[in-house]
Amino acid sequence: MTSRSTRMLMLSGLALWISIGSIASREASATDAQSATSTSADKPSTDTSWSQGLKLGVNGAIPVIVVDQFGYQVKSLKVAVIRNPQAGYDKDASFKPGREFQVVERSTGKIVKSGSPAPWNNGATDAGSGDQVWWFDFSDVETPGTYAIVDVESQLRSAEFDIDDHVFQRVMKHAVRMFFYQRAGMEKTAETAGASWADRASHLGPGQDPYTHSWLAKDDASLVKDLRGGWFDAGDYNKYTSWTARNIISLLRSYDGNPSAFGDDYKIPESGNGIPDILDEAKWGLDWLVRMQNADGSLLCVQSLSEASPPSAATGPSFYGPPTTSATLMGAAVFAYASKVLSARPEPELQAYAADLAKRAKSAWAWATANPQVLYYNNDNARQPGSQGLASGQQEMDDAHRLAARFEAAVYLFEITGDEEYGKFAEANFTSVVPQWGPSQWDAVGQEVLLHYARLPNASNVVKSAIISQFVTRMTQNADQLPMVIDKKDPYRSPMKDFTWGSNQSKATQARLYELLASFTPDPKVAALAKSAAAEYLHYIHGVNPLGLVYLTNMKAAGAENSAATMYHAWFSNSSRRWSRVSGINPGPAPGYLVGGANPSYSVDPCCFSASGTPSYKCYMSAAFSLCRRGYSPPLDQPASKSYLQFNDSWPANSWAVTEPSTAYQAAYILALSPFAN
C-alpha cells in the first residue's frame, strides 16, 4: 500500500500536520444517530453485557469466545473460536475453557446444543496470533434466532449473533452506504446520512471541484474544468482515476454476479427510483470519470482536494493532474464493463448511458494505443519534478500493471463489440496477467479478469480451457491456497500467506478467490469446501479474530456490539470530539467503513528517532513530536493478527497504516460479501 507520510507538508524545514477541525454540538446521541440510519432490515444490538467478567485491554474487552457478530446462514458451517492468549498485549488475560459449552437462545435462555470444544493443532500456540485455540462446532444448530456461546464453567460467553439466511443483508446495506458518505459535492441530509452525519455539499466553492485548475498550469483559466462528484478515495479527500475505475468494476461485478443481493432501499438520494442502489452508486462514480475524460479520449489521472472536518468546511483549491496511459486504460476498462452491465437494464436512460460509455471506452482505448507510455508520478518530486503536493497516494502503474490494465480493457471491449482487435490482444497476452506462483491475495483482480474472459462465448476455447485448468490446479495445489484451509493452518479459520498493510482487504480478496474456485472447479466437493472457506474470511472481518472486533465502524445498528469505534479519516479526525470515536454521547464515525486491519509492518515516523543536530530532530521541532512518546504496543511488537490499535492519531503516529479505510478495501469487501447476501 502507498505510504501516507506524504500527508506532511514541509514548510521552512518544519513538518506540520495541517488539520482544519470543526467541533460541532454534542446534542445528538449515538442512539439517535444509529436509529437515523437504520434500514428496514436493521436489527440493532442490545447485547450490552457480553463483556461482563472479561479483562480489559487497550482495544477494549479482551474476548475469550469469538463469533461472527452478525451471524451465520442456516445451512452454513458455524464454528466459535475459544482463545487463550499466550503472547501479545493480552497475554495476561489467560483463559482455560471448561469441558462443556452451550449454544443458548438469547430470548428464552433455552440450551439448544451442548458439547466440548476441540483443541486446534493439539493445543499448540499459534505464532500468527500468539493464542492457544479451541473450536466449538455448532453447525447443526439451524433454527433461526439469536444466540450466544457460553462456557458453562466460567459463565463467560460470546457476543450474541443471529442464525438466519438473510443475516448479511443489513451488513451489505451499510457497506454500500459507505460510498455515499464518501461522495464529494453531495449534500448529506439528516434523512439520508442520519442527523449525526449531516453535512452540506463539499468542495463546490470558488476554485474547487467545479472550477478545478490544472496542476501544471495553475494560473491558466482556459484549462479550468468542472470535475465535481466522485468519491473521496480513503481517509483523505483526493480522487484517483484508476482506483475509482477499479472500485466501480468491483461494485458492478458484485451486482452482476448476484443481483438479488441489492435493493433500492439503502436511503441514499436515489433510493426508490426503481434501480438497485449499488448501480446508482456506481453511476455516481462513472459520472465523475466521464468528466475526467478529455475530448481526445484520454483521462486525467488524479484530482487533489483540500481537507477539513466536516468535508463542507474545506475551502482550499482543487487541482487535476495530466492524462496518462494507465488512467486512460482503466477508463476504457470501466466504461466498457459498465456499458455491458447497464445495457442489460430495462431503463431507457441507462441503456442510452451504456451506449455512450461504449463509445467512450473505444475512444480511450484508441488514445492509449497511440500513447502507450505517458506517465505521471503525482506527489513525487524525485520521479516527477514539480508534482509534490498533488494528492497523496501514488497512482501511476509500472509496466506489468499497465499491461494488465490493457488486457482488462481488451477483454471488456471484446465482450461488448466482438471486435477481433481486442480479442486477439487478450489471446496474445493472457499468460502475462497472473504470475506463475499465483493467484494470490495480490493478484486476485487479474485472476478475476482472466476468468471473466473464460466465460465469454466468443473467446478462444483453447485459451479458456487453459485459464480455467491453470486456475483450479494452482488454487487446489499451491501450498498457500486451499491446502492451508485443508490443513487448518489458521486457528481463526482464514489463512493468508502475507499479513501486511490493508490486511482486511487481503482477507476479502482471498475470500473472492475461493468464491471463484467454487464456481469453476468441476469437483462438487472442492466447490463446497471453497465456498465454506470463503465465508470464513468474512467471519474474520465480522469478529472471528483475536480482538473479537468487527472491523466495520459503528455497526451496533446492524447487530454488532463490538465494532470499530474509531479510524483515521479527515472527517472523523481526532480533533473532533463529535466524530472521532463512538461513545455514549458522541456518534463517532459513520457506520459501515471497513478499516485497514492488523498491520505488523506498522511503525511510527522515523523522525521520532532522529538524532540531535539533524533537520528532522524531534520531528522538525514540531509539537506533534509529543505523539512519539506514547506507547504504540499494539500495534508494535505483536503477533501479526494482533498488530492493531483503535486509534486515529496523525503524523508522526501514522495511524493510517492501521485504521484508515479505503474505497478499495470497501469495494473488495462488498464483492466478497455479495454471494452471501441473499
Side-chain angles (χ1 to χ4, degrees):
M1 299 297 296
T2 305
S3 170
R4 297 291 180 182
S5 61
T6 50
R7 298 176 189 280
M8 296 179 294
L9 180 64
M10 308 297 288
L11 294 174
S12 304
L14 178 66
L16 297 176
W17 178 257
I18 306 299
S19 177
I20 304 173
S22 174
I23 300 177
S25 72
R26 301 167 65 180
E27 294 178 355
S29 70
T31 301
D32 292 339
Q34 289 159 353
S35 63
T37 58
S38 292
T39 66
S40 58
D42 267 347
K43 183 186 176 186
S45 171
T46 58
D47 185 12
T48 58
S49 62
W50 73 274
S51 59
Q52 186 173 341
L54 298 177
K55 293 184 178 180
L56 296 178
V58 293
N59 283 310
I62 299 172
V64 296
I65 306 171
V66 295
V67 294
D68 186 318
Q69 290 177 45
F70 301 116
Y72 302 84
Q73 293 176 321
V74 170
K75 295 292 184 181
S76 70
L77 187 65
K78 311 173 189 75
V79 179
V81 173
I82 298 100
R83 51 189 306 273
N84 177 21
Q86 300 290 293
Y89 72 90
D90 58 352
K91 65 181 179 180
D92 293 332
S94 60
F95 174 69
K96 182 180 179 180
R99 293 182 178 181
E100 183 181 4
F101 276 66
Q102 298 173 340
V103 183
V104 179
E105 189 177 41
R106 290 284 288 156
S107 61
T108 65
K110 179 182 178 182
I111 299 167
V112 299
K113 178 183 175 66
S114 295
S116 299
W120 174 81
N121 198 16
N122 297 315
T125 296
D126 170 50
S129 64
D131 293 346
Q132 188 181 28
V133 162
W134 294 258
W135 289 349
F136 180 60
D137 190 328
F138 58 103
S139 301
D140 54 341
V141 179
E142 296 183 345
T143 303
T146 302
Y147 300 90
I149 308 298
V150 179
D151 177 8
V152 175
E153 183 175 324
S154 68
Q155 283 299 294
L156 296 176
R157 66 176 178 88
S158 71
E160 66 180 27
F161 57 89
D162 286 350
I163 293 178
D164 190 302
D165 277 339
H166 306 291
V167 72
F168 296 132
Q169 193 65 275
R170 60 182 180 265
V171 186
M172 179 64 83
K173 289 188 176 186
H174 287 282
V176 173
R177 278 177 55 79
M178 178 267 197
F179 281 89
F180 168 66
Y181 287 114
Q182 290 290 102
R183 289 188 188 185
M186 165 62 73
E187 181 182 9
K188 281 81 174 179
T189 65
E191 181 181 4
T192 56
S196 292
W197 300 285
D199 189 30
R200 293 177 292 107
S202 69
H203 300 90
L204 297 182
Q208 295 189 304
D209 287 7
Y211 319 98
T212 307
H213 286 68
S214 167
W215 181 260
L216 302 181
K218 297 182 179 68
D219 298 324
D220 190 340
S222 68
L223 298 178
V224 170
K225 293 179 178 289
D226 181 358
L227 301 177
R228 74 184 72 198
W231 301 301
F232 306 140
D233 174 65
D236 62 284
Y237 293 166
N238 303 306
K239 298 180 278 187
Y240 305 86
T241 299
S242 293
W243 300 345
T244 296
R246 168 62 54 226
N247 297 337
I248 294 170
I249 290 171
S250 293
L251 294 180
L252 292 174
R253 194 180 298 283
S254 302
Y255 167 80
D256 202 27
N258 187 16
S260 65
F262 305 98
D264 187 27
D265 58 349
Y266 289 11
K267 298 187 72 172
I268 63 174
E270 298 87 353
S271 293
N273 64 359
I275 298 169
D277 285 341
I278 194 170
L279 297 184
D280 290 317
E281 199 60 65
K283 187 175 182 299
W284 177 267
L286 284 164
D287 288 346
W288 177 72
L289 288 178
V290 165
R291 297 186 185 101
M292 292 289 280
Q293 186 173 35
N294 294 319
D296 62 1
S298 65
L299 272 81
L300 307 172
C301 64
V302 66
Q303 186 183 13
S304 181
L305 277 65
S306 63
E307 295 179 4
S309 177
S312 65
T315 58
S318 300
F319 295 99
Y320 65 82
T324 63
T325 304
S326 57
T328 303
L329 286 171
M330 286 305 301
V334 70
F335 289 155
Y337 186 64
S339 176
K340 177 254 183 184
V341 174
L342 298 181
S343 65
R345 291 290 304 176
E347 296 84 5
E349 64 272 22
L350 286 185
Q351 293 176 0
Y353 191 67
D356 179 66
L357 292 177
K359 294 177 183 177
R360 291 180 177 278
K362 289 184 279 189
S363 176
W365 173 272
W367 188 91
T369 300
N371 300 272
Q373 197 76 15
V374 179
L375 311 179
Y376 190 80
Y377 296 94
N378 64 288
N379 200 35
D380 189 342
N381 274 347
R383 286 189 290 182
Q384 196 82 53
S387 70
Q388 193 73 37
L390 178 62
S392 178
Q394 180 50 249
Q395 49 74 47
E396 189 52 271
M397 297 180 182
D398 59 20
D399 291 344
H401 286 91
R402 202 160 47 254
L403 175 60
R406 187 179 296 276
F407 175 85
E408 184 168 13
V411 168
Y412 302 147
L413 279 162
F414 181 53
E415 181 176 20
I416 66 172
T417 68
D419 192 321
E420 282 302 314
E421 174 192 358
Y422 310 120
K424 288 179 179 178
F425 183 89
E427 190 173 336
N429 290 278
F430 78 96
T431 59
S432 302
V433 177
V434 173
Q436 289 298 311
W437 59 85
S440 71
Q441 65 204 68
W442 304 115
D443 39 60
V445 166
Q447 186 65 66
E448 182 105 48
V449 178
L450 285 171
L451 293 172
H452 187 99
Y453 175 82
R455 287 188 174 105
L456 300 184
N458 54 341
S460 161
N461 288 329
V462 173
V463 173
K464 289 197 288 187
S465 178
I467 289 171
I468 295 171
S469 175
Q470 179 174 280
F471 169 65
V472 172
T473 298
R474 291 179 178 176
M475 285 294 295
T476 55
Q477 297 184 11
N478 187 326
D480 295 326
Q481 289 297 341
L482 197 62
M484 286 203 298
V485 174
I486 295 171
D487 295 338
K488 301 178 175 63
K489 291 293 187 181
D490 180 11
Y492 289 91
R493 307 179 61 81
S494 55
M496 191 168 67
K497 178 178 178 289
D498 298 315
F499 222 109
T500 185
W501 192 327
S503 61
N504 284 337
Q505 181 184 23
S506 291
K507 291 285 186 178
T509 55
Q510 189 63 55
R512 184 59 183 170
L513 286 173
Y514 287 127
E515 290 165 4
L516 292 170
L517 177 59
S519 296
F520 282 92
T521 179
D523 186 334
K525 292 183 179 179
V526 172
L529 176 61
K531 185 170 184 181
S532 179
E536 299 290 359
Y537 293 82
L538 299 174
H539 296 327
Y540 170 92
I541 291 172
H542 299 167
V544 184
N545 56 63
L547 281 71
L549 182 70
V550 174
Y551 280 120
L552 297 160
T553 57
N554 210 349
M555 290 295 280
K556 185 171 183 177
E561 186 64 37
N562 188 33
S563 59
T566 190
M567 62 178 172
Y568 177 84
H569 197 287
W571 182 354
F572 315 115
S573 71
N574 62 2
S575 65
S576 168
R577 285 179 293 174
R578 180 178 174 82
W579 293 307
S580 176
R581 180 180 289 265
V582 178
S583 72
I585 57 175
N586 291 316
Y593 280 72
L594 179 65
V595 296
N599 179 10
S601 65
Y602 166 81
S603 64
V604 296
D605 196 89
C607 72
C608 288
F609 314 106
S610 296
S612 178
T614 62
S616 55
Y617 178 59
K618 289 190 174 181
C619 296
Y620 309 89
M621 301 304 294
S622 169
F625 178 69
S626 62
L627 291 175
C628 295
R629 299 188 180 95
R630 296 186 184 178
Y632 294 102
S633 180
L636 294 172
D637 307 318
Q638 301 294 311
S641 59
K642 288 181 185 171
S643 300
Y644 190 84
L645 177 66
Q646 293 222 63
F647 72 135
N648 61 357
D649 296 315
S650 55
W651 175 84
N654 299 1
S655 66
W656 51 76
V658 177
T659 67
E660 185 175 18
S662 162
T663 50
Y665 303 165
Q666 202 80 15
Y669 169 70
I670 289 168
L671 180 57
L673 185 64
S674 60
F676 297 92
N678 298 320

